[in-house]
Amino acid sequence: MRNGKQMFGTNGVRGVIGEMMTPALVLKIGAALGSMRKGTIAVGRDTRTSGEALAHALKAGLLMTGCDVVDMGILPTPALQYIIKTNRFDGGAMITASHNPPEYNGVKIIEADGTEMSDDEIIRLEDRFFTEEFDVAPWDGVGTEAAAPDRIEEYIQAVVGHFPAGIGEGMTVVVDPGSGPAALTTPSILSRMGCRVHTINARLDGTFPGRMPEPTPEGLQPLSEMVIATGADFGVAHDGDADRAVFVDTKGRYIEENYEFGLVEDYVCARNSDGLVVTPVATSRLIRDIAEKHGCTVDYTPVGSIYVARRMIELIDEGEKVSFGGEGNGGLIYPDHQFCRDGGMTAAMMVAVLASHNGRKLSDILDELPAYHLVKEKHHTADPAALVRAVEEAFAGETIEKIDGIKIVRDNAWALVRASGTEPMIRIMIEAEDPAVADAMYQEIMRVVRQV
């Protein structure tokens, strides 16, 4: 078996429609998946204009290998994952390009337990794809298709049922689904929790007329304005498939995702102390600070939600107590709910966070958290691995961790240098309490980069 993936990245395969991403390619992915996971496969999609064509192609590949298909229609990725996990489907596939622009689309492969397919299994799927080793069924063995768009209700009820009835009463919230599938879930979830809900960009539209699928501070300016105009307690926005959630506070300020993680972590770990918090090496030290406050320990993984989810499962199987997990990008994972990033659950969790603070404003709660300065840069290069090695050699006398790329750890700062999983470049992240310390460490690293 090959050493690495060729088509699939950290979260599925993605490409521009009509160029790399075509129905022919997706049909072969479906046939490869159907050859590996015999049985009943659940399929969903986000709102992209190309979604219907690709979903039909995917289903054709599955049906030709004898799999039965249940089409869930348009829904968030975590909703599909929850339905697969709780209904014991044999696997699933989501047609989505997540946060990429409208011209992109892609496929995420989901296992029977609701997690994304592991790297080893993706390599096996790719091998079948490239060799066209498909188990094509005879005429009397092809699969059948059923539609089940109403199953999305199972997910909504599961999230709402996680919290005490009426926990959001008295709160006003603004939801920006970004014209994506969260329009079908998050406003309903928050309304059922007792919140008064306003929406923006809540019509399903794969051209994304209001903003791009990636929720950036600039793109969420209308959300911030609506939060201020309505006197809302917070605003929440989702990416293109709603596995992530990001927030603006009472004052309309964009909440950097590590601080979102910290707020929710503080709430969860206060109720589930002395456990493990699983997160990638790229996450802020704030997460460690809050974990330690509740007697929890941080367990670090490579960058990518699938590594976090699988590490959480592995630790639980070993008898460890896992309190919480997630990434510093708005993708949080709740082990008592499901092992994947879940934007709908995170939107609901923010209601619970606020309720636990007895009427205090979100902006005031945020201002009490420790302040860290984060530098994020990228540097394009023909040989990312060589550049990472050069940085490692230059800082060989310091404390270095090699969970993913190299992480240089100092008392007052840390820096992560790693090769991108999707482009020919390195990503550089540096964090310190003092911005001057972070900037100085960045210049140290860039001197090495310029010399190579």
Coordinates of all heavy atoms in Angstrom, one line a residue, residues 293-376:
K293 N -7.0 24.8 34.9 CA -7.9 25.4 35.8 C -8.9 24.4 36.4 O -9.3 24.4 37.5 CB -8.6 26.6 35.2 CG -9.8 27.2 35.9 CD -10.5 28.2 35.1 CE -11.8 28.6 35.7 NZ -12.5 29.6 34.8
H294 N -9.3 23.4 35.5 CA -10.3 22.4 35.9 C -9.6 21.0 36.2 O -10.3 20.0 36.2 CB -11.3 22.3 34.9 CG -12.1 23.5 34.7 ND1 -13.0 24.0 35.6 CD2 -12.1 24.4 33.6 CE1 -13.5 25.1 35.1 NE2 -13.0 25.4 34.0
G295 N -8.3 21.0 36.4 CA -7.6 19.7 36.6 C -7.5 18.8 35.4 O -7.3 17.6 35.6
C296 N -7.7 19.4 34.2 CA -7.6 18.6 33.0 C -6.2 18.7 32.4 O -5.5 19.6 32.7 CB -8.7 19.1 32.0 SG -10.4 18.8 32.4
T297 N -5.9 17.7 31.5 CA -4.6 17.7 30.8 C -4.9 17.7 29.3 O -5.8 17.1 28.8 CB -3.9 16.4 31.2 OG1 -3.8 16.2 32.6 CG2 -2.5 16.3 30.6
V298 N -4.0 18.5 28.6 CA -4.1 18.6 27.2 C -3.3 17.4 26.5 O -2.2 17.2 26.8 CB -3.7 19.9 26.7 CG1 -3.7 20.0 25.1 CG2 -4.5 21.0 27.3
D299 N -4.0 16.8 25.6 CA -3.3 15.7 24.7 C -3.3 16.3 23.3 O -4.3 16.5 22.7 CB -4.2 14.4 24.8 CG -3.5 13.3 24.1 OD1 -3.5 13.2 22.9 OD2 -2.9 12.4 24.8
Y300 N -2.1 16.4 22.8 CA -1.9 17.1 21.5 C -1.8 16.1 20.3 O -1.3 15.0 20.5 CB -0.6 17.9 21.5 CG -0.8 19.2 22.3 CD1 -0.1 19.3 23.5 CD2 -1.5 20.3 21.9 CE1 -0.2 20.4 24.3 CE2 -1.7 21.4 22.7 CZ -1.0 21.5 23.9 OH -1.1 22.6 24.6
T301 N -2.4 16.5 19.2 CA -2.5 15.6 18.0 C -1.9 16.4 16.8 O -1.7 17.6 16.9 CB -3.9 15.2 17.7 OG1 -4.6 16.4 17.1 CG2 -4.6 14.7 18.9
P302 N -1.7 15.7 15.7 CA -1.4 16.5 14.4 C -2.6 17.4 14.1 O -3.7 17.2 14.6 CB -1.2 15.4 13.4 CG -0.9 14.1 14.2 CD -1.6 14.3 15.5
V303 N -2.4 18.3 13.2 CA -3.5 19.2 12.7 C -4.5 18.5 11.9 O -4.1 17.8 11.0 CB -2.9 20.4 12.0 CG1 -4.0 21.3 11.4 CG2 -2.0 21.2 12.9
G304 N -5.8 18.6 12.2 CA -6.9 18.0 11.5 C -7.9 17.3 12.4 O -7.5 16.6 13.4
S305 N -9.1 17.6 12.2 CA -10.2 17.2 13.1 C -10.3 15.7 13.2 O -10.6 15.1 14.2 CB -11.5 17.7 12.7 OG -11.9 17.3 11.4
I306 N -9.9 15.0 12.1 CA -10.0 13.5 12.1 C -9.0 12.9 13.1 O -9.3 11.9 13.8 CB -9.8 12.9 10.7 CG1 -10.0 11.4 10.7 CG2 -8.5 13.3 10.1 CD1 -11.3 10.9 11.1
Y307 N -7.9 13.6 13.2 CA -6.9 13.1 14.2 C -7.3 13.3 15.6 O -7.0 12.5 16.5 CB -5.5 13.7 13.9 CG -5.1 13.5 12.5 CD1 -4.9 14.6 11.6 CD2 -4.9 12.3 12.0 CE1 -4.5 14.5 10.3 CE2 -4.5 12.1 10.7 CZ -4.3 13.2 9.8 OH -3.9 13.0 8.5
V308 N -8.0 14.4 15.8 CA -8.5 14.7 17.2 C -9.6 13.7 17.5 O -9.6 13.1 18.6 CB -9.1 16.2 17.2 CG1 -9.7 16.4 18.6 CG2 -8.0 17.2 16.9
A309 N -10.5 13.5 16.6 CA -11.7 12.6 16.9 C -11.2 11.2 17.1 O -11.6 10.5 18.1 CB -12.6 12.6 15.7
R310 N -10.3 10.7 16.3 CA -9.8 9.3 16.5 C -8.9 9.2 17.7 O -9.0 8.1 18.4 CB -9.0 8.8 15.2 CG -9.9 8.7 14.0 CD -9.4 7.8 12.9 NE -10.4 7.7 11.9 CZ -11.4 6.8 11.9 NH1 -11.6 6.0 13.0 NH2 -12.3 6.8 11.0
R311 N -8.2 10.2 18.1 CA -7.4 10.1 19.3 C -8.4 10.1 20.6 O -8.1 9.4 21.5 CB -6.5 11.4 19.4 CG -5.7 11.4 20.7 CD -4.7 10.3 20.9 NE -3.9 10.4 22.0 CZ -3.2 9.4 22.6 NH1 -3.4 8.2 22.2 NH2 -2.5 9.6 23.7
M312 N -9.5 10.9 20.5 CA -10.4 10.8 21.6 C -11.0 9.4 21.7 O -11.1 8.9 22.9 CB -11.6 11.8 21.3 CG -11.1 13.3 21.4 SD -12.4 14.4 20.8 CE -13.4 14.6 22.2
I313 N -11.4 8.8 20.6 CA -11.9 7.4 20.7 C -10.9 6.5 21.2 O -11.2 5.6 22.1 CB -12.4 7.0 19.3 CG1 -13.6 7.9 18.8 CG2 -12.8 5.5 19.2 CD1 -13.9 7.7 17.3
E314 N -9.7 6.6 20.8 CA -8.6 5.7 21.2 C -8.3 5.8 22.7 O -8.2 4.8 23.4 CB -7.3 6.1 20.4 CG -6.0 5.3 20.8 CD -4.8 5.9 20.1 OE1 -4.9 6.4 19.0 OE2 -3.7 5.9 20.7
L315 N -8.3 7.0 23.2 CA -8.1 7.3 24.7 C -9.3 6.7 25.5 O -9.1 6.1 26.5 CB -8.0 8.8 24.9 CG -6.7 9.4 24.5 CD1 -6.8 10.9 24.5 CD2 -5.5 8.9 25.4
I316 N -10.5 6.9 25.0 CA -11.7 6.3 25.7 C -11.6 4.8 25.7 O -11.9 4.2 26.8 CB -13.0 6.8 25.1 CG1 -13.1 8.3 25.4 CG2 -14.2 6.1 25.6 CD1 -14.2 9.0 24.6
D317 N -11.2 4.2 24.6 CA -11.1 2.7 24.5 C -10.0 2.2 25.5 O -10.1 1.1 25.9 CB -10.7 2.3 23.1 CG -11.9 2.5 22.1 OD1 -13.1 2.6 22.6 OD2 -11.7 2.4 20.9
E318 N -9.0 3.1 25.8 CA -8.0 2.7 26.7 C -8.4 2.9 28.2 O -7.6 2.7 29.1 CB -6.7 3.5 26.4 CG -6.0 3.1 25.1 CD -4.9 4.1 24.7 OE1 -4.6 5.0 25.5 OE2 -4.3 3.8 23.7
G319 N -9.6 3.4 28.4 CA -10.1 3.6 29.7 C -9.8 5.0 30.3 O -10.1 5.3 31.5
E320 N -9.3 5.9 29.4 CA -9.1 7.3 29.9 C -10.4 8.1 29.9 O -11.3 7.8 29.1 CB -8.1 8.0 28.9 CG -6.7 7.3 28.9 CD -5.9 7.6 30.1 OE1 -6.3 8.5 31.0 OE2 -4.8 7.0 30.3
K321 N -10.4 9.1 30.7 CA -11.5 10.1 30.7 C -11.3 11.2 29.8 O -10.3 11.9 29.9 CB -11.8 10.6 32.1 CG -12.9 11.6 32.2 CD -13.1 12.1 33.7 CE -14.2 13.1 33.7 NZ -14.4 13.7 35.1
V322 N -12.1 11.4 28.8 CA -11.9 12.5 27.8 C -13.0 13.5 28.0 O -14.2 13.1 27.9 CB -11.9 12.0 26.3 CG1 -11.9 13.1 25.4 CG2 -10.7 11.0 26.1
S323 N -12.7 14.7 28.4 CA -13.7 15.7 28.7 C -14.2 16.5 27.4 O -15.3 16.8 27.3 CB -13.1 16.7 29.7 OG -12.8 16.1 30.9
F324 N -13.2 16.8 26.5 CA -13.6 17.7 25.4 C -12.5 17.6 24.4 O -11.4 17.0 24.6 CB -13.6 19.1 26.0 CG -14.2 20.1 25.1 CD1 -15.4 19.8 24.3 CD2 -13.7 21.4 24.9 CE1 -16.0 20.8 23.5 CE2 -14.2 22.3 24.1 CZ -15.4 22.0 23.4
G325 N -12.8 18.1 23.2 CA -11.8 18.2 22.1 C -12.2 19.2 21.0 O -13.3 19.6 21.0
G326 N -11.2 19.5 20.2 CA -11.5 20.4 19.1 C -10.3 21.1 18.5 O -9.2 20.8 19.0
E327 N -10.6 21.9 17.6 CA -9.5 22.7 16.9 C -9.8 24.2 17.2 O -10.9 24.6 17.5 CB -9.6 22.5 15.4 CG -9.4 21.1 15.0 CD -9.6 20.9 13.5 OE1 -10.7 21.0 13.0 OE2 -8.5 20.7 12.8
G328 N -8.7 25.0 17.0 CA -8.8 26.4 17.2 C -9.4 27.2 16.0 O -8.9 28.3 15.6
N329 N -10.3 26.5 15.2 CA -10.9 27.1 14.0 C -12.4 27.1 14.1 O -13.1 27.3 13.1 CB -10.4 26.4 12.8 CG -10.8 24.9 12.7 OD1 -11.5 24.4 13.7 ND2 -10.4 24.2 11.7
G330 N -13.0 26.9 15.3 CA -14.4 26.8 15.4 C -15.0 25.4 15.3 O -16.2 25.3 15.3
G331 N -14.1 24.4 15.1 CA -14.5 23.0 15.0 C -14.4 22.3 16.3 O -13.3 21.9 16.6
L332 N -15.4 22.2 17.1 CA -15.4 21.6 18.4 C -16.1 20.2 18.5 O -17.1 20.0 17.7 CB -16.0 22.5 19.5 CG -15.4 24.0 19.5 CD1 -16.0 24.8 20.5 CD2 -13.8 23.9 19.6
I333 N -15.6 19.3 19.3 CA -16.0 17.9 19.3 C -16.5 17.6 20.7 O -15.7 17.7 21.7 CB -14.9 17.0 18.9 CG1 -14.4 17.4 17.5 CG2 -15.4 15.5 18.9 CD1 -13.2 16.6 17.0
Y334 N -17.7 17.0 20.8 CA -18.3 16.7 22.1 C -18.5 15.2 22.3 O -19.3 14.6 21.6 CB -19.7 17.4 22.2 CG -19.6 18.9 21.9 CD1 -19.7 19.4 20.6 CD2 -19.4 19.8 23.0 CE1 -19.5 20.8 20.3 CE2 -19.2 21.2 22.7 CZ -19.3 21.6 21.4 OH -19.2 23.0 21.1
P335 N -17.6 14.6 23.1 CA -17.6 13.1 23.2 C -18.9 12.5 23.6 O -19.1 11.3 23.3 CB -16.4 12.8 24.1 CG -16.2 14.1 24.9 CD -16.6 15.2 24.0
D336 N -19.7 13.2 24.4 CA -21.0 12.6 24.8 C -22.1 12.9 23.7 O -23.3 12.5 24.0 CB -21.5 13.2 26.1 CG -21.6 14.7 26.1 OD1 -21.1 15.4 25.1 OD2 -22.1 15.3 27.1
H337 N -21.7 13.4 22.6 CA -22.7 13.6 21.5 C -22.2 12.9 20.2 O -22.9 11.9 19.8 CB -22.8 15.1 21.2 CG -23.5 15.5 20.0 ND1 -24.9 15.2 19.8 CD2 -23.2 16.3 18.9 CE1 -25.3 15.7 18.7 NE2 -24.3 16.4 18.1
Q338 N -21.1 13.2 19.7 CA -20.5 12.4 18.6 C -19.1 12.9 18.3 O -18.7 14.0 18.8 CB -21.4 12.6 17.3 CG -21.5 14.0 16.7 CD -22.2 14.0 15.4 OE1 -22.4 13.0 14.7 NE2 -22.7 15.2 15.0
F339 N -18.3 12.1 17.6 CA -16.9 12.3 17.5 C -16.6 13.0 16.1 O -16.0 12.4 15.2 CB -16.1 11.0 17.6 CG -16.1 10.5 19.0 CD1 -17.0 9.5 19.4 CD2 -15.3 11.0 20.0 CE1 -17.1 9.0 20.7 CE2 -15.3 10.5 21.3 CZ -16.2 9.5 21.7
C340 N -17.1 14.2 16.0 CA -16.8 15.0 14.8 C -17.1 16.4 15.2 O -17.8 16.7 16.1 CB -17.6 14.6 13.6 SG -19.4 14.8 13.8
R341 N -16.5 17.4 14.4 CA -16.8 18.8 14.6 C -18.3 19.0 14.3 O -18.9 18.5 13.4 CB -16.0 19.6 13.6 CG -14.5 19.4 13.7 CD -13.7 20.4 12.8 NE -14.0 20.2 11.4 CZ -13.3 20.8 10.4 NH1 -12.3 21.5 10.8 NH2 -13.6 20.5 9.2
D342 N -18.9 19.8 15.2 CA -20.4 20.0 15.1 C -20.7 21.5 15.4 O -20.8 21.9 16.5 CB -21.1 19.1 16.1 CG -22.6 19.0 15.8 OD1 -23.2 20.0 15.3 OD2 -23.2 17.9 16.1
G343 N -21.0 22.2 14.3 CA -21.3 23.6 14.4 C -22.6 23.9 15.1 O -22.8 24.9 15.8
G344 N -23.6 23.0 14.8 CA -24.9 23.2 15.5 C -24.9 23.0 17.0 O -25.4 23.8 17.7
M345 N -24.1 22.0 17.4 CA -24.0 21.8 18.8 C -23.2 22.9 19.5 O -23.5 23.4 20.6 CB -23.2 20.5 19.1 CG -23.0 20.2 20.6 SD -24.4 20.1 21.6 CE -24.9 18.4 21.4
T346 N -22.2 23.5 18.8 CA -21.4 24.6 19.3 C -22.3 25.8 19.5 O -22.2 26.6 20.5 CB -20.2 24.9 18.5 OG1 -19.4 23.7 18.4 CG2 -19.4 26.0 19.0
A347 N -23.2 26.1 18.5 CA -24.1 27.2 18.6 C -25.0 27.1 19.8 O -25.2 28.0 20.6 CB -25.0 27.3 17.3
A348 N -25.5 25.9 20.0 CA -26.3 25.6 21.2 C -25.5 25.7 22.5 O -26.0 26.2 23.5 CB -26.9 24.2 21.1
M349 N -24.3 25.3 22.5 CA -23.4 25.3 23.7 C -23.2 26.7 24.1 O -23.0 27.0 25.3 CB -22.1 24.5 23.4 CG -21.3 24.2 24.6 SD -22.2 23.1 25.8 CE -22.1 21.5 24.9
M350 N -23.1 27.7 23.2 CA -22.9 29.1 23.6 C -24.0 29.6 24.3 O -23.9 30.4 25.2 CB -22.6 29.9 22.3 CG -22.1 31.3 22.7 SD -20.5 31.3 23.6 CE -19.3 30.9 22.3
V351 N -25.2 29.1 24.0 CA -26.4 29.5 24.9 C -26.2 29.0 26.3 O -26.5 29.7 27.3 CB -27.7 28.9 24.2 CG1 -28.9 29.2 25.2 CG2 -28.0 29.5 22.9
A352 N -25.8 27.8 26.4 CA -25.5 27.2 27.8 C -24.4 28.0 28.5 O -24.5 28.2 29.7 CB -25.2 25.7 27.7
V353 N -23.4 28.3 27.8 CA -22.3 29.1 28.4 C -22.8 30.4 29.0 O -22.5 30.7 30.1 CB -21.2 29.4 27.3 CG1 -20.2 30.4 27.9 CG2 -20.5 28.1 26.9
L354 N -23.6 31.1 28.2 CA -24.2 32.4 28.7 C -25.1 32.2 29.8 O -25.1 33.0 30.8 CB -24.9 33.1 27.5 CG -24.0 34.1 26.7 CD1 -24.9 34.8 25.6 CD2 -23.3 35.1 27.5
A355 N -26.0 31.2 29.7 CA -26.9 30.9 30.8 C -26.2 30.6 32.1 O -26.7 31.0 33.2 CB -27.8 29.7 30.4
S356 N -25.0 30.0 32.1 CA -24.3 29.7 33.3 C -23.6 30.9 33.9 O -23.2 30.9 35.1 CB -23.2 28.7 33.0 OG -22.1 29.3 32.2
H357 N -23.6 32.0 33.2 CA -23.0 33.3 33.7 C -24.1 34.2 34.2 O -23.8 35.4 34.5 CB -22.1 33.9 32.6 CG -20.8 33.3 32.5 ND1 -19.7 33.6 33.3 CD2 -20.4 32.3 31.7 CE1 -18.7 32.9 32.9 NE2 -19.0 32.1 31.9
N358 N -25.3 33.8 34.4 CA -26.3 34.5 35.1 C -26.5 35.9 34.5 O -26.5 36.9 35.3 CB -26.1 34.6 36.6 CG -26.0 33.2 37.2 OD1 -26.8 32.3 36.9 ND2 -25.0 32.9 38.0
G359 N -26.7 36.1 33.2 CA -27.0 37.4 32.7 C -25.9 38.3 32.3 O -26.1 39.4 31.8
R360 N -24.6 37.8 32.6 CA -23.5 38.7 32.2 C -23.3 38.7 30.7 O -23.7 37.7 30.0 CB -22.2 38.1 32.9 CG -22.2 38.2 34.4 CD -20.8 37.8 34.9 NE -19.8 38.7 34.5 CZ -18.5 38.4 34.2 NH1 -18.2 37.1 34.2 NH2 -17.6 39.2 33.8
K361 N -22.8 39.8 30.2 CA -22.6 39.9 28.7 C -21.4 39.1 28.2 O -20.4 39.0 28.9 CB -22.5 41.4 28.3 CG -23.7 42.2 28.5 CD -23.5 43.6 28.0 CE -24.8 44.4 28.2 NZ -25.9 43.9 27.4
L362 N -21.6 38.5 27.0 CA -20.5 37.7 26.5 C -19.2 38.5 26.3 O -18.1 38.0 26.6 CB -21.0 37.1 25.1 CG -20.0 36.3 24.4 CD1 -19.5 35.1 25.2 CD2 -20.6 35.8 23.0
S363 N -19.3 39.8 25.9 CA -18.1 40.6 25.8 C -17.4 40.8 27.1 O -16.1 40.8 27.1 CB -18.5 42.0 25.2 OG -19.6 42.6 26.0
D364 N -18.1 40.9 28.2 CA -17.4 41.0 29.5 C -16.7 39.7 29.9 O -15.6 39.7 30.5 CB -18.4 41.4 30.6 CG -19.0 42.8 30.4 OD1 -18.3 43.6 29.7 OD2 -20.1 43.0 30.9
I365 N -17.4 38.6 29.6 CA -16.8 37.3 29.9 C -15.5 37.1 29.1 O -14.5 36.6 29.6 CB -17.8 36.1 29.6 CG1 -19.0 36.3 30.5 CG2 -17.1 34.8 29.9 CD1 -20.2 35.5 30.0
L366 N -15.5 37.4 27.8 CA -14.4 37.3 27.0 C -13.2 38.1 27.4 O -12.0 37.7 27.4 CB -14.7 37.7 25.5 CG -15.3 36.7 24.6 CD1 -15.9 37.4 23.4 CD2 -14.3 35.7 24.2
D367 N -13.5 39.4 27.9 CA -12.4 40.3 28.3 C -11.6 39.8 29.5 O -10.6 40.3 29.8 CB -13.0 41.7 28.5 CG -13.4 42.4 27.2 OD1 -13.0 41.9 26.1 OD2 -14.2 43.3 27.3
E368 N -12.2 38.8 30.2 CA -11.5 38.3 31.4 C -10.5 37.2 31.1 O -9.8 36.7 31.9 CB -12.6 37.8 32.4 CG -13.4 39.0 33.0 CD -14.5 38.5 33.9 OE1 -14.6 37.2 34.0 OE2 -15.1 39.3 34.6
L369 N -10.6 36.7 29.8 CA -9.7 35.6 29.5 C -8.3 36.1 29.2 O -8.1 37.2 28.8 CB -10.2 34.9 28.2 CG -11.5 34.1 28.3 CD1 -12.0 33.6 26.9 CD2 -11.4 33.0 29.3
P370 N -7.3 35.2 29.5 CA -5.9 35.6 29.3 C -5.7 36.0 27.8 O -6.3 35.4 26.9 CB -5.1 34.4 29.6 CG -6.0 33.5 30.4 CD -7.4 33.9 30.0
A371 N -4.9 37.0 27.6 CA -4.7 37.5 26.2 C -3.4 37.0 25.6 O -2.3 37.0 26.2 CB -4.6 39.0 26.2
Y372 N -3.5 36.4 24.4 CA -2.3 35.9 23.7 C -2.3 36.5 22.3 O -3.4 36.8 21.7 CB -2.4 34.3 23.5 CG -2.1 33.6 24.8 CD1 -3.0 33.1 25.7 CD2 -0.7 33.3 25.1 CE1 -2.7 32.4 26.8 CE2 -0.4 32.6 26.3 CZ -1.4 32.2 27.1 OH -1.1 31.5 28.3
H373 N -1.1 36.7 21.8 CA -0.9 37.3 20.5 C -0.5 36.2 19.5 O 0.5 35.5 19.8 CB 0.2 38.4 20.5 CG 0.4 39.0 19.2 ND1 -0.5 39.9 18.6 CD2 1.5 38.9 18.4 CE1 0.0 40.3 17.4 NE2 1.2 39.7 17.3
L374 N -1.2 36.0 18.4 CA -1.0 34.9 17.5 C -0.6 35.5 16.1 O -1.2 36.4 15.6 CB -2.3 34.1 17.3 CG -2.2 32.8 16.5 CD1 -1.3 31.8 17.2 CD2 -3.6 32.2 16.3
V375 N 0.5 34.9 15.6 CA 1.0 35.3 14.2 C 0.8 34.1 13.3 O 1.2 33.0 13.7 CB 2.5 35.7 14.2 CG1 3.0 35.9 12.8 CG2 2.7 36.9 15.1
K376 N 0.1 34.3 12.2 CA -0.1 33.2 11.2 C 0.4 33.6 9.9 O -0.1 34.7 9.4 CB -1.6 32.8 11.1 CG -2.2 32.1 12.3 CD -3.7 31.7 12.0 CE -4.3 31.0 13.1 NZ -5.7 30.6 12.8

